[in-house]
Amino acid sequence: RLRRRVATLLAQRPVVTLGEIAAHYPLTQGLAELLTYVMLATDDEAHHIDESGWEEIVLGENGRIIRLPRIVFKNALQKEEDQ
């Protein structure tokens, strides 16, 4: 489900951050869902964690905010163009 969400947004634009994903698809499962997105980013070399920038992500319906390095998802074609 989360991979599909990333793919859906990447079909519309070449790069998307976790903050943009969370704005479009709120993280209703809290920290577990956030960590799954982090794992997706680290499992695919097209994606990366940008420690030079930060984002604030809203978790769940309680509105808790987590601040973390910017997580960037790129479609495979964008990754090839960058090289």
Side-chain angles (χ1 to χ4, degrees), residues 36-65:
T36 303
Y37 277 116
V38 172
M39 288 173 52
L40 291 176
T42 59
D43 284 347
D44 187 328
E45 65 183 40
H47 313 315
H48 70 279
I49 298 174
D50 176 7
E51 295 182 19
S52 68
W54 294 84
E55 287 188 304
E56 292 184 348
I57 309 291
V58 178
L59 293 181
E61 296 175 2
N62 67 4
R64 183 182 342 169
I65 296 175

Side-chain angles (χ1 to χ4, degrees), residues 44-47 74-83:
D44 187 328
E45 65 183 40
H47 313 315
K74 292 184 178 183
N75 67 31
L77 295 176
Q78 181 66 32
K79 176 68 175 177
E80 290 172 8
E81 290 175 7
D82 288 348
Q83 293 179 350

